[in-house]
Amino acid sequence: MLLLSQGLRREATLLLQDAPEVVVQKLIAGRHDPLPAAWLDTLRRIRGVSSARGRLWGYYYDPAIKANYTLMVAPERGLAADEIVVGAALARIRQIGVGDYLSLRAADGRPLSLHIVGVLDSASELLGADLLLLSETGFRQLFQLPPEVYTDAVLTVRNPREASTVAGKIALALPASRPILRAEILRTYDAVFHWREGMVFVALGSLLLAFLILAWDKAAGLSAEEKREIGILKAIGWETGDILRMKLWEGTLLSLTAFLVGYLLAWWQVFHGGARLFAPVLKGWAVLYPDFRLTPAVDLQQILVLLAVTVLPYIVATLIPGWRAAIIDPDAAMRG
Amino acid sequence: MIALHEVSKVFNQGQPNECRALREVSLRLERGGITVFKGPSGSGKTTLLTLIGCLARPTAGRITLDGRLLSNLPERFLTEVRRHTFGFVFQQFNLIRGLTVLDNVMLPAYPLGKPHRELRDGARALLDRFGLGAKADSRVEWLSGGEAQRTALARALINDPAVLIADEPTANLDSALSREVLALLGELATQGRTVLISSHDPLVFEAVQVDRIIELHDGRMVGDSRC
């Protein structure tokens, strides 16, 4: 769980490195509203802004597969009005490919038939699983969007360290705007994955508690055979300290081995096995789950914390009964 | 030399189930030879051996080893004396299951911190001497009664103790194996070790290897004869 959410946070951070530094939205009554094209000129005039570009994107619900597509205009692709590029997961689930047609229902109720000219690389699936790229004309036709508005605007700033100052100037110049900084998006992703991680931890809490009780019980109670063995060791010349040292080594080796095997299995499961166990909870809320592999990562601090909460209690749990058994009189062995 | 002066041992003292296992026993055990403590069950043989072997302390009286008073030594020093002076062979052999014969033999020497190779060579030499060389890597639960007894003997000797204490060493063996064990103990005694045996088996106290028989009854010493 920790590995998966850490991997997802890391992946999101890497991907958002290339995201625009500032995104500007228009708000009406606290809700997102199309941004007037005239705002772009105002934004370009603000000191510190090097460029401002209007973006067109939105969501489309496809009742055929009960999934939401993310639609985006990609001017750099030079698509014609009836041409689209689709995400790998979308193509997979709709069983369509290059050369096929995808029919969408426009906002005025008319069907819009779009010619697929490309499928997005599966390497970009984290971002593009449910993505549909189209031309500006196609997008405006589909959603019946007037030509003088955009979904939002993206800005680049001359000095990225001044992004928050620029955001302040935007809020002053355009009071109905909401500037969003890249750092804020990163923080939101981080919080979302932390929140989901926490939710699963709560759900697994009872299971963990049951496991801890079982582990404690197994570790804390010595069997009659173990007590007999400790008695023999005392009788043949071992001191209480020797027995405690042996128990310490035994507990450390056992719990460390179990920890390492468990960690390696979890690591393999998350980074090579597709994290099938927790992926549905952590990966997203869409129907079109992206199929991607996380970049393997190891966090030393996380390992140390896990060690502290698993290995140390086990060692302590084995030492106490070991000590209790080791202080018996050595003549007990002589008496059977 | 081991000397006991008016040694008594009381279990559960002051409680309703108080048991007087030994009553004012005084005796001197010279170095070397085989001494057998004879007596019926409950006569105090095993208790006496645990006191001599520093496995327990007397309730009253004094025990000395070569003039050094043992009965008031703290646990740590008592363990030290026990490790270097005494080797034990228990009635139930008390070998640790799951370990090999070799590991069992080496066990008493681990706390002394000897180099492992030296320890292993010493243990193998002992096993060869007792005809168990081929069984060194076998697990102890696969051994016959005689083999288990010889393994216990080898374990008792790994720290080269001056005194070997054997509690009812023939109790779980048939006559042939009992004679074999007695022959081994006799051999150890002729090499200068002091062998102390508790037994109520006539085969033991009638054996030619025995030098002295001390008889106990109800915790008192009732006889002392030299053979």
Side-chain angles (χ1 to χ4, degrees), chain B residues 12 56 78 82 102 140:
Chain B
N12 307 318
L78 218 53
R82 190 162 74 237
L102 187 68
V140 290

Side-chain angles (χ1 to χ4, degrees), chain A residues 15 26 30 42 92 97 119 124-125 133 159 180 265 271 281 335:
Chain A
L15 285 165
K26 187 189 174 204
T42 314
R92 200 166 50 237
V119 174
S124 64
E125 203 159 334
L133 297 177
N159 182 357
I180 304 163
L265 280 175
F271 296 116
V281 191
R335 301 185 174 282

Side-chain angles (χ1 to χ4, degrees), chain B residues 100-179:
Chain B
T100 63
V101 169
L102 187 68
D103 285 335
N104 264 283
V105 172
M106 291 195 297
L107 269 179
Y110 278 130
L112 302 180
K114 282 184 192 169
H116 191 263
R117 178 184 288 272
E118 189 186 316
L119 188 57
R120 199 184 52 209
D121 292 346
R124 280 197 184 275
L126 272 171
L127 287 172
D128 287 339
R129 181 175 161 192
F130 292 134
L132 287 167
K135 299 271 182 180
D137 297 319
S138 306
R139 289 160 65 128
V140 290
E141 50 269 41
W142 300 339
L143 299 179
S144 68
E147 288 169 340
Q149 184 66 289
R150 280 182 281 150
T151 304
L153 254 176
R155 183 179 68 181
L157 295 172
I158 187 72
N159 285 339
D160 196 22
V163 183
L164 184 77
I165 294 177
D167 185 25
E168 302 278 3
T170 58
N172 293 303
L173 304 178
D174 61 24
S175 300
L177 286 173
S178 297
R179 282 193 195 93

Side-chain angles (χ1 to χ4, degrees), chain A residues 111-265:
Chain A
L112 193 68
S113 201
L114 299 162
H115 183 213
I116 299 168
V117 294
V119 174
L120 288 170
D121 187 355
S122 60
S124 64
E125 203 159 334
L126 180 60
L127 275 184
D130 61 351
L131 192 62
L132 209 149
L133 297 177
L134 67 175
S135 68
E136 184 173 339
T137 318
F139 188 89
R140 290 187 190 280
Q141 263 178 14
L142 183 66
F143 293 108
Q144 297 290 295
L145 207 64
E148 70 278 7
V149 294
Y150 290 94
T151 312
D152 56 20
V154 290
L155 311 185
T156 49
V157 290
R158 285 195 190 93
N159 182 357
R161 287 152 90 182
E162 286 184 3
S164 58
T165 316
V166 170
K169 288 180 186 170
I170 295 168
L172 270 179
L174 300 163
S177 69
R178 175 170 67 177
I180 304 163
L181 301 180
R182 184 169 60 193
E184 286 170 348
I185 302 174
L186 277 173
R187 270 206 303 277
T188 309
Y189 267 98
D190 212 34
V192 164
F193 288 125
H194 269 308
W195 175 75
R196 288 174 158 240
E197 189 180 71
M199 288 288 284
V200 178
F201 268 130
V202 169
L204 290 178
S206 53
L207 198 68
L208 275 174
L209 191 66
F211 166 75
L212 281 178
I213 292 169
L214 184 77
W216 181 270
D217 188 51
K218 288 295 274 180
L222 281 181
S223 66
E225 180 67 19
E226 282 174 303
K227 282 182 188 157
R228 180 183 155 272
E229 284 171 3
I230 289 176
I232 295 169
L233 293 176
K234 285 279 286 202
I236 61 174
W238 285 44
E239 280 180 20
T240 306
D242 297 324
I243 290 165
L244 284 182
R245 260 194 297 281
M246 179 193 74
K247 284 299 218 186
L248 185 72
W249 277 111
E250 186 186 89
T252 308
L253 280 174
L254 204 67
S255 51
L256 259 183
T257 310
F259 174 81
L260 284 176
V261 169
Y263 191 87
L264 286 175
L265 280 175

Side-chain angles (χ1 to χ4, degrees), chain A residues 264-285:
Chain A
L264 286 175
L265 280 175
W267 196 85
W268 182 86
Q269 205 267 135
V270 167
F271 296 116
H272 295 281
R276 295 192 192 283
L277 211 53
F278 298 114
V281 191
L282 284 172
K283 263 194 193 172
W285 37 74

Side-chain angles (χ1 to χ4, degrees), chain B residues 30-41:
Chain B
E30 306 301 331
R31 198 173 283 277
I34 297 182
T35 301
V36 175
F37 294 88
K38 171 188 167 185
S41 189

Side-chain angles (χ1 to χ4, degrees), chain B residues 1-221:
Chain B
M1 187 194 61
I2 301 162
L4 285 81
H5 181 71
E6 298 200 337
V7 167
S8 296
K9 179 71 181 176
V10 183
F11 291 103
N12 307 318
Q13 199 170 19
Q15 290 173 26
N17 59 342
E18 184 178 288
C19 170
R20 244 167 220 287
L22 280 180
R23 296 162 193 262
E24 290 142 15
V25 173
S26 296
L27 65 95
R28 294 163 73 86
L29 297 163
E30 306 301 331
R31 198 173 283 277
I34 297 182
T35 301
V36 175
F37 294 88
K38 171 188 167 185
S41 189
S43 59
K45 307 183 296 290
T46 301
T47 304
L48 189 57
L49 287 186
T50 60
L51 295 182
I52 293 170
C54 301
L55 288 168
R57 285 196 189 81
T59 311
R62 283 176 291 129
I63 301 173
T64 56
L65 173 72
D66 295 332
R68 184 187 182 193
L69 188 63
L70 298 181
S71 37
N72 64 349
L73 280 180
E75 169 69 32
R76 190 181 164 83
F77 293 100
L78 218 53
T79 306
E80 199 62 28
V81 173
R82 190 162 74 237
R83 274 178 191 168
H84 291 102
T85 313
F86 300 100
F88 297 90
V89 178
F90 305 100
Q91 187 176 344
Q92 304 293 337
F93 312 139
N94 280 347
L95 299 172
I96 292 187
R97 283 193 281 270
L99 296 184
T100 63
V101 169
L102 187 68
D103 285 335
N104 264 283
V105 172
M106 291 195 297
L107 269 179
Y110 278 130
L112 302 180
K114 282 184 192 169
H116 191 263
R117 178 184 288 272
E118 189 186 316
L119 188 57
R120 199 184 52 209
D121 292 346
R124 280 197 184 275
L126 272 171
L127 287 172
D128 287 339
R129 181 175 161 192
F130 292 134
L132 287 167
K135 299 271 182 180
D137 297 319
S138 306
R139 289 160 65 128
V140 290
E141 50 269 41
W142 300 339
L143 299 179
S144 68
E147 288 169 340
Q149 184 66 289
R150 280 182 281 150
T151 304
L153 254 176
R155 183 179 68 181
L157 295 172
I158 187 72
N159 285 339
D160 196 22
V163 183
L164 184 77
I165 294 177
D167 185 25
E168 302 278 3
T170 58
N172 293 303
L173 304 178
D174 61 24
S175 300
L177 286 173
S178 297
R179 282 193 195 93
E180 196 181 296
V181 167
L182 282 167
L184 281 173
L185 293 174
E187 199 182 304
L188 292 169
T190 53
Q191 287 164 1
R193 280 183 224 274
T194 308
V195 180
L196 308 177
I197 303 172
S198 80
S199 181
H200 58 268
D201 181 358
L203 199 82
V204 175
F205 44 76
E206 287 166 8
V208 289
Q209 293 91 345
V210 173
D211 299 293
R212 188 178 174 190
I213 297 171
I214 293 170
E215 199 169 346
L216 293 164
H217 198 273
D218 288 340
R220 291 184 196 281
M221 209 173 113

